[in-house]
Amino acid sequence: MGHEEGDGGHGHDHDHDHDHDHDHDHDHDEIAPGAGTGKVLFLDAPSGLAGDMIVAALADLGVPRRVITEALGALPIGGFHVHFGTKVRSGIVATSLDVHVEGKQPQRTYATIRSMLGEANLSAGVKARAQRTFARLAKAEARVHRTNIEDVHFHEVGAVDAIVDVVGSAAALDHLGAELVVSPLPMGRGYTQAAHGLLPLPAPATVECLAGLATYDAGIDFELVTPTGAAIVGAHASGSQRWPSMTPEVVGWGAGSADLADRPNVLRAVLGIRAETASRRESRATHTVLEANVDDATGELAAHWIEMLLAAGALDAWATPITMKKGRPALTISALAPIERADEMARAVLRETTSLGVRRYDVAREELPRRIEHVETPYGRIPVKVAEGPVGPPHAKPEFDACVAAARENGVPVRKVLTAALLAFARRT
């Protein structure tokens, strides 16, 4: 883009000293897809961050490197390859990422990048994250240069580096599925050489990308946070914290390219369980009940909200008539959801209903083991849900939607299909 990383900053530097390179194998077990769901991914950045440091730290954390390289291989561009290595910073062995560009690359506008990502054979989640990051970066550059966002340019080598960092981080974050939180970021001083000339640090686009996140003066003349790194956390972090209350599970380290005189140039990635989640587990709570009072809902809206909550992952959803202040008739919209999906469900309630708030409380749910059996009836094969356990005889219930479909197909009342399915199940037992 207008500002190229690597000219004195954290970004990819193809001329840096490799005296600290090592070839140690990756020590962490690979993290399975979605293993971060309901957890927090904390980027601890006392030395700042850049796109390559983020990707390297997530690879060191345990995101399989093939997840990153396969995403990069799905892009319709060539003339580059990436290399994961290791660097030692103050005794910490951290993963590094180098991008090697072969030959001259064409200039690319944001419109070109957006189209390229749209055509790439990437999963929907990875594509959406990459598009969101580039949009934040392009909007920042457009504001700085007072130009149309479609005309924002990515300059030469910086374009390839930015594409690798954005798509690689998108693939890694999508693989984890965790909530991203970043520490307050240190802002370096001085100047950096960019395609548009000499720019003050922190770079203008970096500050634009960090809107809403905490920063502080680092007290040194160095580019500690690059525009691409800022765009990644700006697009995906839910907020800033010095250190979230959590139980760490696994840690990864990403190395920056430069040696800093006053601090180790590393980024720490920590995947863990939030304290409130851990305390809920200790209390044996397994589910959350969410409630919202609405006094301006029709029956049609209430039915839609219940259907929406079920589609969003609620195990059950219901509406209860209530009377609010001044005798106003109203409804309480309620949903039961697994604890790990409670935040997501709360956002769904606030987004879809007219309520300005949502209550939540944790509950422990005891469940009977359930299975599906199929029975043959005069009206076709019908699935029957069977629940059983040590508390009494099995409970059997024909799947209602399947009974309705069979009744329509055979031209009989649905109660006849229900009865036939129960009789068929009883004969089997």
Side-chain angles (χ1 to χ4, degrees):
M1 280 204 156
H3 172 70
E4 293 180 21
E5 300 177 22
D7 301 319
H10 265 312
H12 305 281
D13 181 355
H14 302 292
D15 298 318
H16 61 266
D17 186 4
H18 285 268
D19 287 346
H20 298 294
D21 282 4
H22 292 262
D23 293 321
H24 299 156
D25 291 333
H26 188 261
D27 292 327
H28 291 161
D29 293 334
E30 290 188 350
I31 294 177
T37 302
K39 299 178 183 179
V40 60
L41 172 65
F42 178 55
L43 294 184
D44 182 28
S47 303
L49 50 77
D52 60 325
M53 294 174 73
I54 295 173
V55 177
L58 296 181
D60 195 67
L61 187 78
V63 173
R65 295 178 183 180
R66 65 179 179 278
V67 168
I68 298 165
T69 56
E70 287 175 3
L72 298 177
L75 297 172
I77 59 174
F80 77 95
H81 68 274
V82 298
H83 170 70
F84 286 100
T86 54
K87 295 183 184 297
V88 178
R89 301 281 188 240
S90 298
I92 299 170
V93 180
T95 294
S96 62
L97 174 68
D98 287 311
V99 180
H100 301 274
V101 181
E102 301 143 8
K104 189 174 181 180
Q105 289 281 330
Q107 287 194 5
R108 298 179 175 94
T109 64
Y110 170 58
T112 303
I113 296 290
R114 189 175 61 188
S115 176
M116 177 197 71
L117 290 175
E119 297 170 2
N121 186 26
L122 297 167
S123 71
V126 175
K127 188 175 295 188
R129 284 182 179 272
Q131 292 281 25
R132 195 187 319 163
T133 305
F134 268 115
R136 193 166 183 106
L137 192 54
K139 287 175 183 176
E141 292 284 0
R143 282 193 293 266
V144 170
H145 301 297
R146 300 295 193 271
T147 187
N148 188 301
I149 188 172
E150 301 296 323
D151 299 328
V152 169
H153 280 79
F154 292 76
H155 292 281
E156 300 176 358
V157 170
V160 178
D161 287 354
I163 292 168
V164 168
D165 294 344
V166 170
V167 175
S169 62
L173 291 172
D174 189 68
H175 181 86
L176 287 171
E179 176 192 0
L180 180 64
V181 175
V182 64
S183 68
L185 295 173
M187 296 289 101
R189 305 167 179 172
Y191 299 90
T192 186
Q193 184 65 45
H196 293 282
L198 202 63
L199 295 177
L201 292 176
T206 296
V207 180
E208 292 281 353
C209 287
L210 293 177
L213 298 177
T215 63
Y216 64 95
D217 177 22
I220 63 172
D221 291 345
F222 191 81
E223 184 180 34
L224 293 174
V225 178
T226 65
T228 302
I232 292 169
V233 295
H236 303 292
S238 61
S240 300
Q241 287 185 258
R242 290 198 176 276
W243 189 279
S245 296
M246 66 175 177
T247 303
E249 291 186 323
V250 62
V251 179
W253 295 91
S257 59
D259 284 308
L260 302 180
D262 68 336
R263 66 194 73 192
N265 191 3
V266 290
L267 172 69
R268 175 163 46 188
V270 185
L271 182 66
I273 304 171
R274 277 200 178 275
E276 55 266 32
T277 303
S279 64
R280 282 196 291 257
R281 289 182 179 178
E282 290 172 2
S283 69
R284 295 187 68 249
T286 57
H287 293 74
T288 296
V289 175
L290 302 106
E291 296 179 344
N293 292 349
V294 292
D295 61 1
D296 55 355
T298 64
E300 290 175 326
L301 273 175
H304 167 71
W305 293 336
I306 291 172
E307 182 180 351
M308 175 275 303
L309 290 169
L310 292 171
L315 299 181
D316 200 358
W318 60 96
T320 307
I322 60 172
T323 301
M324 296 181 65
K325 60 185 178 182
K326 299 181 181 179
R328 296 199 308 269
L331 293 173
T332 296
I333 306 298
S334 305
L336 176 69
I339 276 182
E340 60 270 16
R341 302 198 64 176
D343 291 341
E344 176 187 347
M345 295 300 302
R347 288 192 291 269
V349 171
L350 291 173
R351 182 180 66 248
E352 295 289 342
T353 73
T354 55
S355 177
L356 301 180
V358 58
R359 300 181 299 278
R360 51 195 287 182
Y361 54 90
D362 297 332
V363 296
R365 186 175 189 240
E366 299 291 340
E367 300 180 5
L368 289 174
R370 283 165 287 181
R371 68 181 189 277
I372 294 292
E373 292 192 11
H374 290 81
V375 297
E376 298 296 336
T377 76
Y379 312 107
R381 197 164 185 252
I382 302 296
V384 178
K385 183 183 294 181
V386 183
E388 58 188 349
V391 295
H395 303 282
K397 182 179 179 182
E399 291 292 321
F400 189 75
D401 289 345
C403 292
V404 170
R408 287 175 179 166
E409 185 177 343
N410 290 275
V412 298
V414 69
R415 66 177 182 274
K416 295 194 68 173
V417 181
L418 288 166
T419 300
L422 287 172
L423 288 172
F425 178 78
R427 286 193 295 266
R428 291 178 57 171
T429 57

